[in-house]
Amino acid sequence: LIYAYRHNGSWTKCSIHEDNHPHTNSGKWSSMASDSNGKLHISHYCETGSELLYTTDKSGSWCTEVVHTGEDLDVGRYCAIAVDGNDDIHIAYNYHETNLVSEVDHEEIWYAKYASAAWTTEQAHAITTSGNGPWLDTGINISLAVTDGGQPHITLDEDFGIEAGTGTAWLI
């Protein structure tokens, strides 16, 4: 994962992930937000571990942790991150499972929140297709916004159309 910033008219880049997480191939589909103290929060996908990762510099140095792992599934692709008015962290992301024997593809959109020193996760939306269904373009282009009161809103591309959802009851 490469981080770049502009300071005094020039760009500086640095690698922030290799030293604090054992998996390679991380940083795909990254998303970044800042909190009220100017600290950065990054969500990204690790292909090697098939997991959603969260990296932050809120302690003064970069730290990475696993938010959701899928073992043999793809968890964390197409993630989006937001920080609310209480500096709680919110992430929306794709959870993908393919059964090659039955040719059934299952896509889910998940939502994670970090508050009170713990992650909570929940499913926000799901679709199952079979055969040569629309699964190749389902659950991508995820966007996340959170109100100052902490209410999450998610948009995603589903079968070439856009879906939108609002947290708690997840109206889609």
Side-chain angles (χ1 to χ4, degrees), residues 102-124:
S102 65
E103 294 185 1
V104 172
D105 215 53
H106 187 74
E107 299 275 356
E108 298 175 357
I109 302 304
W110 278 66
Y111 165 76
K113 180 180 179 181
Y114 186 84
S116 304
W119 285 104
T120 57
T121 60
E122 65 184 66
Q123 181 188 37

Side-chain angles (χ1 to χ4, degrees), residues 23-68:
H23 292 142
T24 57
N25 291 328
S26 66
K28 285 188 173 187
W29 298 296
S30 63
S31 179
M32 182 168 51
S34 63
D35 63 26
S36 64
N37 298 310
K39 297 299 183 178
L40 300 175
H41 304 271
I42 304 170
S43 63
H44 52 106
Y45 172 71
C46 176
E47 187 173 30
T48 303
S50 183
E51 55 198 5
L52 173 66
L53 300 178
Y54 165 73
T55 300
T56 184
D57 70 344
K58 68 182 177 183
S59 68
S61 61
W62 292 105
C63 298
T64 299
E65 62 185 271
V66 175
V67 176
H68 194 161

Side-chain angles (χ1 to χ4, degrees), residues 119-156:
W119 285 104
T120 57
T121 60
E122 65 184 66
Q123 181 188 37
H125 184 55
I127 184 170
T128 300
T129 61
S130 60
N132 295 322
W135 55 271
L136 291 174
D137 291 306
T138 299
I140 63 173
N141 301 320
I142 296 171
S143 182
L144 171 68
V146 181
T147 65
D148 286 339
Q151 183 73 24
H153 301 266
I154 299 170
T155 62
L156 61 119

Side-chain angles (χ1 to χ4, degrees), residues 125 143 153-158 161-167 170-172:
H125 184 55
S143 182
H153 301 266
I154 299 170
T155 62
L156 61 119
D157 186 345
E158 181 175 275
I162 300 296
E163 296 275 344
T166 301
W170 293 111
L171 307 170
I172 300 217

